[in-house]
Amino acid sequence: MLVLLPPSEGKAASGRGAPLKPESLSLPGLNAAREAVLGELVGLCSGDEEKAREVLGLSEGLRGEVAKNAGLRTAGARPAGEIYTGVLYDALGLASLDAAAKKRATGSLLVFSGLWGAVRITDRIPSYRCSMGVRLPGLGALGAYWRTPMAEVLPEAAGDGPVLDLRSAAYAAAWKPKGELAGRTASVRVLHAPTRKVVSHFNKATKGRMVRSLLSAGAAPGSPAELVEALRDLGYVVEAEAPAKAGRPWALDVLVSEVH
């Protein structure tokens, strides 16, 4: 099973590790596109700070992120699973998984990124600031920019098993599974059961806990239908809607009674 995750807006510091080696990242078919985005981002942030801040949508309080981006090629790199922080990743708790669950996480989790396209949690990257919603002066909107390289690389990464899509809308726009692969994909919403309203902030925590539960249990569903059963066996209340026609994903609603 492949699990598609959004990144976190906030990130841990890069640390003092060896700098980025772009050629070492997973999904090497994305490397040319990564280099193009990295080159423009570093160039932008090495120039006019105010322009860079405007392009990246950074507040005055985040001015320091511009300088951080300017030094991406020489900054220390750490595993992506340590760089990404925030509600979803706190709930997922990669560091506290047992050895077997960590191994499963390495093979199944894919984090989408405005800068890198998508990375495995073991890929060593520096801390950066560049969301999928950014429109770079030369490359344009990153969500649109990544669609072609993603379409060439991601179907092979997905293999022949189910795809659990937990991305936010901005990151989902960068790659939408097509055809037979779409039929093996399950997109998830988290709803507050009493109101049937979409949970906003705390949907991230629910998604993180859900992935942790699947990894810890060693769940290996062979289809979206089996994924639904695995989640129910783990105690989640899931309403599932199979695709009405070919080329559409499954729609899963995970219901939570308490918003926490």
Side-chain angles (χ1 to χ4, degrees), residues 118-212:
V119 292
R120 301 284 187 185
I121 60 170
T122 50
D123 285 333
R124 298 182 63 83
I125 58 174
S127 184
Y128 66 97
R129 190 75 173 219
C130 184
S131 73
M132 193 66 80
V134 164
R135 180 183 293 273
L136 292 175
L139 297 177
L142 291 177
Y145 172 78
W146 280 111
R147 284 174 196 155
T148 297
M150 292 284 202
E152 294 172 352
V153 172
L154 268 294
E156 181 178 354
D160 57 6
V163 176
L164 177 58
D165 190 353
L166 302 177
R167 298 172 296 166
S168 56
Y171 291 89
W175 180 59
K176 294 183 179 180
K178 305 291 185 182
E180 181 269 341
L181 178 54
R184 290 191 275 118
T185 299
S187 297
V188 173
R189 297 188 306 173
V190 178
L191 301 182
H192 185 215
T195 64
R196 309 295 297 183
K197 291 182 178 180
V198 175
V199 178
S200 54
H201 175 75
F202 292 100
N203 96 93
K204 297 177 182 178
T206 299
K207 289 177 177 178
R209 287 193 289 267
M210 187 166 62
V211 174
R212 182 181 178 88

Side-chain angles (χ1 to χ4, degrees), residues 8 22 71 170 182 234:
S8 57
L234 290 167

